[in-house]
Amino acid sequence: MSHITDTIRALRSSLPESVMLVAVSKFHPVEAIAEAYAAGQRTFGESRPQELLSKVRALSEMAQASGDPALYSDIRWHFIGHLQTNKLKMVLPYAAMVESVDSLRLLQAISRWGEENGRTTDVLLEFHIASEETKQGFSREEILGIVSAEALPNVRIRGLMGMATFTDDETLIRSDFGRLTSLFDEIVRLRDGGRCPGIGSDFCLKSFGMTHDYGIAVGMGADIVRIGTLIFGERHQA
Ligand SMILES: *Cc1c(COP(=O)(O)O)cnc(C)c1O
């Protein structure tokens, strides 16, 4: 058996059943996705619009050629990278969820696209929890502002996403993740007190944990983990 198949199976049997595994396939070829799919994986993460679109098309061609056009049609794509508003049409028709909403402008644009195209998109708000300046994401105050405002018609804010500081220091990782879980709990309390018109009862997802820290994340209550390197190997960035 191959590494991809082995790892998908091992992860599936070690992760709690309630935890959603996003296999992050960015920078890896469609053949790797096909292999993970054959091992039962259905949710994949991509971070660049053009790459997502090319992979959707390539997999659809592979399905046609296989004689089973429905093959791969049940893949759920999670978009996890920085998304520019002029690239929405490359992503939103295919994405089951955009995990990386990092500006109000983007949130509004996703809703507007949805109104024009008759779709409602599930999104997560990306919370900046790492100590590195470079990582994207909202501040706590910005997120509280969004969930306290009126809901936008064509987006469902399903929860929060975050990336911890890239470090081996477990204490630091725990404190980063802890900021995400406390903000999440605070929002749920506010919502249950009727003070968050921007979200509904389906605000219930915390996405945190990657290859080097997913074990900690699961222990701290992550609902979604996004794992790339462990499954597919090192990425060779262009
Ligand atoms: C690349 C990426 C991942 C996967 O990282 P690995 O360390 O390869 O598991 C997860 N989340 C986001 C947002 C990413 O960009």
Side-chain angles (χ1 to χ4, degrees), residues 44-54 56-57 76-101 106 110 113 117 119 121-123:
F44 293 88
E46 287 288 338
S47 62
R48 297 189 302 184
Q50 182 59 58
E51 187 176 343
L52 169 64
L53 190 57
S54 318
V56 166
R57 290 183 176 152
R76 292 178 303 271
W77 298 101
H78 281 212
F79 194 81
I80 61 171
H82 182 59
L83 182 53
Q84 289 172 289
T85 51
N86 63 350
K87 302 267 170 75
L88 295 188
K89 63 178 183 301
M90 294 164 80
V91 170
L92 297 185
Y94 312 106
M97 185 179 286
V98 176
E99 295 201 19
S100 46
V101 171
L106 174 59
I110 293 174
W113 184 91
N117 292 275
R119 251 183 92 121
T121 304
D122 278 3
V123 303

Side-chain angles (χ1 to χ4, degrees), residues 24 26 80 161 163 210-211 226-229 235:
V24 177
K26 63 184 185 195
I80 61 171
M161 183 272 251
M163 260 192 280
M210 309 169 30
T211 291
R226 310 174 310 267
I227 301 182
T229 310
R235 286 181 287 274

Side-chain angles (χ1 to χ4, degrees), residues 74-180:
D74 56 347
I75 285 182
R76 292 178 303 271
W77 298 101
H78 281 212
F79 194 81
I80 61 171
H82 182 59
L83 182 53
Q84 289 172 289
T85 51
N86 63 350
K87 302 267 170 75
L88 295 188
K89 63 178 183 301
M90 294 164 80
V91 170
L92 297 185
Y94 312 106
M97 185 179 286
V98 176
E99 295 201 19
S100 46
V101 171
D102 58 2
S103 76
L104 179 57
R105 212 168 85 83
L106 174 59
L107 189 68
Q108 289 165 336
I110 293 174
S111 184
R112 211 173 315 116
W113 184 91
E115 286 181 69
E116 286 158 10
N117 292 275
R119 251 183 92 121
T120 297
T121 304
D122 278 3
V123 303
L124 304 179
L125 302 179
E126 183 170 353
F127 181 26
H128 186 284
I129 51 173
S131 36
E132 293 111 340
E133 287 289 329
T134 49
K135 289 188 175 141
Q136 327 264 357
F138 289 112
S139 68
R140 172 179 173 278
E141 290 69 29
E142 288 168 326
I143 288 181
L144 287 172
I146 289 171
V147 297
S148 312
E150 282 309 309
L152 292 166
N154 286 65
V155 282
R156 267 187 301 265
I157 300 175
R158 300 294 315 278
L160 302 180
M161 183 272 251
M163 260 192 280
T165 309
F166 189 76
T167 174
D168 291 329
D169 180 353
E170 215 181 293
T171 313
L172 182 52
I173 294 173
R174 283 183 188 282
S175 99
D176 287 349
F177 287 162
R179 274 196 297 286
L180 189 144

